[in-house]
Amino acid sequence: IVPFQAMEREVSAAFGKGEPGEILSSAFKLKVTREDICTLRQLCWLNDEVINFYMNLLVERSKKEGYPALHAFSTFFYPKLCSGGYKAVRRWTRGVDLFKQDLILVPIHLRVHWTLLVIDVRKKTIKYFDSLGQKGDNICKTLLQYLQEESREKRNLELTASEWTLRSLSPEEIPQQTNGSDCGVFVCKFADSISRDKPITFTQEHMPYFRRKMVWEIIHQQLL
C-alpha cells in the first residue's frame, strides 16, 4: 500500500507546472503526457489516452492468476466499427481470439459522454453501463452483430443470436454521476470492478479520490 502523503506529493507534481507535452508514462505502445494526466483533475473530462491506458492496465492485471481472461478494445474501436462496418475493424483482433476471453470491454465515447459496453463471453451477455442512465440497446445490437461477423470470419461458426442476452443497466442497478464531468472515471471504475468479477459498490463520492489514485496508477503503470 502506498502511503497517502507520498501519493499526494506525486499527484500534485503531475498536476503541477511543466511542459504539457512531457511524457509522464509510456507503455502498451501508448504515451500519456502531462496534458493528458491533467484531464484527471477535478471536473475535467477524461480523454482517450487516459481511458485507453487504464484499460490496458486492467488487461495487464488480468494476466495474473485468479482473474477472468480480459480483452479491452480501444476507444477508437466503436466509432471505426460504426463508420466502416466489420471490414474496417477486422484486423483489430489479429492474434486475439475473442471467444477464448471471459470478458471483453468496449469503452464508448458519445460526443460528450463516456459509457461502457461489456461482453461476457461465459454468460453470453452484452451489457451497457451508463452513469447517466441512458439506454444503449442499439449499441448492444451493433456489438452482437460484430461478434457474429467475427465468429464467421475467424472460426467459421455461426453465433446463435437468440442465445445472447442484451441489456442496458438501469440507474437503480449501477451508480450514477451527479455532475457533467465524471463519466470517464465511472467507465474506468465500472471496468475495474467487472474485470475482477466484483460487484460495483462505489458512488459519486469516491470520484475525487479515484481521480487522484488513477494518476498514480498511470504514472507507476500499476493498479493499487
Side-chain angles (χ1 to χ4, degrees), residues 47-72:
N47 68 6
D48 293 282
E49 283 68 26
V50 165
I51 296 213
N52 286 329
F53 203 93
Y54 193 80
M55 292 291 155
N56 273 285
L57 288 175
L58 296 177
V59 170
E60 246 346 86
R61 179 179 67 188
S62 74
K63 294 171 184 169
K64 294 183 189 155
E65 196 58 44
Y67 286 94
L70 181 68
H71 180 71

Side-chain angles (χ1 to χ4, degrees), residues 138-155:
N138 286 335
I139 299 176
C140 291
K141 282 182 194 139
T142 302
L143 264 297
L144 178 60
Q145 230 168 340
Y146 163 77
L147 280 184
Q148 288 177 286
E149 299 196 65
E150 178 80 356
S151 181
R152 258 176 236 135
E153 174 82 17
K154 302 283 165 76
R155 48 179 201 169

Side-chain angles (χ1 to χ4, degrees), residues 105-118:
L105 303 175
V106 188
I108 289 176
H109 194 221
L110 306 167
R111 291 194 302 283
V112 292
H113 182 50
W114 288 107
T115 63
L116 180 68
L117 183 130
V118 179

Side-chain angles (χ1 to χ4, degrees), residues 188-215:
C188 289
K189 298 316 282 187
F190 286 151
D192 174 31
S193 298
I194 291 159
S195 66
R196 292 179 290 145
D197 278 335
K198 290 281 186 276
I200 295 167
T201 54
F202 60 83
T203 66
Q204 173 69 56
E205 284 166 14
H206 296 94
M207 291 300 133
Y209 169 65
F210 283 162
R211 282 175 175 270
R212 298 182 83 80
K213 184 166 114 162
M214 282 173 71
V215 172

